[in-house]
Amino acid sequence: MANQQNLKISGMLNQHEFIERYVFTKQRVMNGFTRPDLAFLLGRIPNDVADYEHFGAHVKMSYQDHEVMAAVFKKLAPTTPIFQARANDIDISNDKRMIRGTVLETDAQRVYDFIHPWKIKGEDKPITIVEELDRDMTQDAMIRAFVEEHLAQLKAQGCFEHGCTALFLYQQLSGLICKSWQPLFLKILRVSIYARIHAQEIRVHQVNGQTIYKTKP
């Protein structure tokens, strides 16, 4: 029997905050990035993306985060829901309201269902996002060989002596890898970098708010 998890989420958001999180989740899914992989590119801890998508008030996306996403998301932003912004001639778009939802996850899919208090075209309409989680594991050995070869080349060129961001590494390899492996290779890149950190070959530094991977202190 397939594994299944059903998580209930809720948060107090205004229309602008909800749309921002909806667009974030939808774009991540449309562009094929997993939560941990996008967190790696953003230089954030793995749980940050999940917490943001689950309406965690403690997680905010910075201007720098949006710059990274603009660089890696190739598909345009989705059409956003148009909520009724006024009631009794009063602007309600900035009023924080309770948003509730569920995240149903199986081995194959993650389904977000959001229940919000605003009308869309005069109707109460929930919002759903479906994320496919299946991965073709048969390609992973070839992708791993590609990633390891090019990380070794970057190390030989001295890139890690000066320090590399995850975005830099992703862009270097993305320009060389075949289209069908994008962004699948990002998971293997992330795991490979973390393995080097665990082996103390690479150290993590914070420089001007950016996460930098370096071989030297």
Side-chain angles (χ1 to χ4, degrees), residues 1-9 25 28-29 35 53-54 100-114 127-133:
M1 184 176 178
N3 294 322
Q4 180 172 306
Q5 295 181 336
N6 193 350
L7 177 67
K8 295 186 181 300
I9 60 176
T25 305
R28 177 185 67 75
V29 170
R35 290 169 169 178
E53 294 182 349
H54 294 171
R100 302 183 190 278
T102 60
V103 182
L104 176 62
E105 187 169 324
T106 66
D107 292 334
Q109 280 188 332
R110 181 183 291 127
V111 180
Y112 302 78
D113 280 312
F114 302 123
I127 292 174
T128 300
I129 298 174
V130 178
E131 178 179 5
E132 303 296 337
L133 300 177

Side-chain angles (χ1 to χ4, degrees), residues 18 42 44 60 77 80-81 129 155-156 160 177 197 206:
F18 176 71
L42 296 176
R44 288 178 167 271
K60 307 290 184 183
T80 58
I129 298 174
K155 182 179 179 182
F160 287 102
I177 204 165
I197 294 170
Q206 294 293 326

Side-chain angles (χ1 to χ4, degrees), residues 162-216:
H162 303 289
C164 302
T165 64
L167 177 61
F168 171 82
L169 296 172
Y170 173 80
Q171 290 177 323
Q172 289 296 303
L173 272 65
S174 183
L176 301 170
I177 204 165
C178 62
K179 187 175 182 180
S180 64
W181 288 358
Q182 299 185 21
L184 291 174
F185 80 91
L186 180 54
K187 176 183 177 180
I188 293 172
L189 172 62
R190 171 175 57 86
V191 171
S192 183
I193 292 297
Y194 288 168
R196 283 166 167 78
I197 294 170
H198 183 72
Q200 299 185 348
E201 296 175 21
I202 291 176
R203 292 177 174 84
V204 182
H205 300 263
Q206 294 293 326
V207 180
N208 298 325
Q210 284 190 310
T211 300
I212 306 293
Y213 302 101
K214 295 180 66 175
T215 52
K216 291 186 176 181

Side-chain angles (χ1 to χ4, degrees), residues 21 44-45 47-48 50-52 55-61:
R21 295 184 189 228
R44 288 178 167 271
I45 62 173
N47 286 341
D48 272 359
D51 290 347
Y52 186 72
F55 309 143
H58 63 289
V59 184
K60 307 290 184 183
M61 289 295 150

Side-chain angles (χ1 to χ4, degrees), residues 27-39:
Q27 271 202 294
R28 177 185 67 75
V29 170
M30 288 169 56
N31 285 275
F33 289 93
T34 68
R35 290 169 169 178
D37 291 347
L38 184 55

